[in-house]
Amino acid sequence: MGLLSAPFTYAILLLAVPLLAIVLFSFWTQDFMDVNTTFTMDNYREIAEKPIYFSLLQRSLYVSICVTIVTVVLAFPVAYFVSFKVHPSRKSLWLFLITIPFWTSYLIRVFLWKVILGYNGVINSGLINLGIIEEPLTFILYNVNAVIITLAHAFAPFAILPIFVALEKIDRSLLEASQDLGESKLMTFLRVTLPLSMPGLVAAVLIVFIPTIGDYVTPELMGGAGGKLIANMIQVQFLQLNNAPLGAAIAIVAMLSVTAISLLFVFLNRRWLRGRS
């Protein structure tokens, strides 16, 4: 019991206390520097009445879902290749290469994508030189598309690693038995490999989906006026408008939305796996 008390206290201080403080703040009001601690639902009432908050939350959920789908779909082949095709002695090298993006600052990676997707960036310059387009493409920067591309690249390692771990745990004899019983490689993948890798897929989905909705750096630098997300509104309320209670209320609404969608995904996944067993 003594061994658990210290980590439990540490988790309470770092996780539960800040969360409870945000919840408490969301029921207060603030007029510039004056905070009124009287319990009120005004902040949540304002969120419900003004459509801008729902619009930003809807856009944020859309971006997070798109980023999650793109990241997981692209990450699975990489994880599968490293797990099944790479020699065991070289797997550590591949994992080392996958984690290389973590060596650089997140801001640097975002700014590099600005260079790649910019009006005179690598993509536009290359397409013009190849004669594919005559004028630079304008829909790949300072909009939602740029945010999705940048976030998908940033969170790719977070999706690859849990999927790889799940694939590594699959008993290879099960795949051999499936093919010995007459199943093709495709059906073996669909009926054996994919279901057994589902824990890694679920972990990848949650690891990517939950943080992306709270990212405000990428939308700020890559989104332009039409690519701002709910996290940018929270940042504005806390740091620019000096309205921490409203920012806290927006954060609570965003967290509840993410929690509901995540729990629904886990529930549907369990029902799917139960139906196959």
Side-chain angles (χ1 to χ4, degrees):
M1 193 66 182
L3 294 175
L4 294 176
S5 60
F8 181 75
T9 303
Y10 185 76
I12 290 293
L13 292 176
L14 291 185
L15 299 176
V17 173
L19 183 58
L20 290 175
I22 294 176
V23 173
L24 182 62
F25 248 82
S26 68
F27 293 104
W28 295 350
T29 55
Q30 183 172 354
D31 184 11
F32 191 57
M33 298 300 294
D34 298 325
V35 178
N36 186 351
T37 58
T38 303
F39 184 89
T40 179
M41 295 291 293
D42 288 349
N43 295 317
Y44 293 98
R45 192 175 297 111
E46 180 176 347
I47 294 173
E49 291 175 352
K50 292 187 177 180
I52 184 174
Y53 300 115
F54 177 75
S55 177
L56 287 173
L57 180 59
Q58 189 178 34
R59 183 190 297 167
S60 301
L61 293 174
Y62 167 76
V63 169
S64 295
I65 292 173
C66 288
V67 170
T68 302
I69 293 174
V70 171
T71 305
V72 173
V73 168
L74 295 180
F76 194 95
V78 177
Y80 184 90
F81 173 79
V82 176
S83 179
F84 285 89
K85 303 300 181 182
V86 175
H87 192 273
S89 62
R90 297 184 178 180
K91 288 182 180 180
S92 58
L93 174 61
W94 277 85
L95 295 177
F96 172 77
L97 295 175
I98 290 171
T99 59
I100 282 181
F102 292 135
W103 293 14
T104 59
S105 168
Y106 181 73
L107 283 175
I108 293 177
R109 282 180 277 160
V110 174
F111 278 117
L112 286 176
W113 273 107
K114 289 189 70 173
V115 174
I116 295 173
L117 302 176
Y119 192 78
N120 296 316
V122 176
I123 293 179
N124 280 322
S125 299
L127 293 176
I128 290 175
N129 292 333
L130 291 174
I132 298 176
I133 59 174
E134 297 181 356
E135 296 182 356
L137 303 174
T138 59
F139 64 86
I140 58 175
L141 185 60
Y142 298 127
N143 51 38
V144 172
N145 298 325
V147 176
I148 293 174
I149 293 172
T150 306
L151 287 175
H153 170 261
F155 283 90
F158 293 101
I160 294 173
L161 295 178
I163 296 174
F164 169 78
V165 172
L167 291 173
E168 281 290 282
K169 293 181 178 180
I170 296 177
D171 188 350
R172 298 321 194 241
S173 62
L174 296 176
L175 309 182
E176 296 175 359
S178 174
Q179 295 186 22
D180 289 342
L181 293 173
E183 292 285 12
S184 64
K185 291 185 177 180
L186 177 60
M187 293 306 299
T188 298
F189 172 80
L190 295 176
R191 301 183 65 177
V192 181
T193 306
L194 186 60
L196 292 177
S197 66
M198 197 56 63
L201 281 170
V202 173
V205 168
L206 296 179
I207 289 173
V208 174
F209 175 74
I210 294 174
T212 50
I213 199 170
D215 190 293
Y216 73 92
V217 175
T218 301
E220 186 70 28
L221 297 178
M222 305 290 291
K228 296 293 174 44
L229 305 182
I230 195 69
N232 300 105
M233 177 60 73
I234 297 172
Q235 184 262 351
V236 167
Q237 296 295 337
F238 270 97
L239 302 181
Q240 297 182 26
L241 300 181
N242 266 339
N243 196 347
L246 180 57
I250 299 172
I252 294 298
V253 171
M255 284 191 292
L256 291 176
S257 302
V258 172
T259 301
I261 295 176
S262 300
L263 292 177
L264 177 62
F265 172 76
V266 173
F267 172 75
L268 293 176
N269 176 70
R270 287 183 176 179
R271 286 200 61 181
W272 181 75
L273 290 177
R274 194 180 299 117
R276 295 182 60 90
S277 61

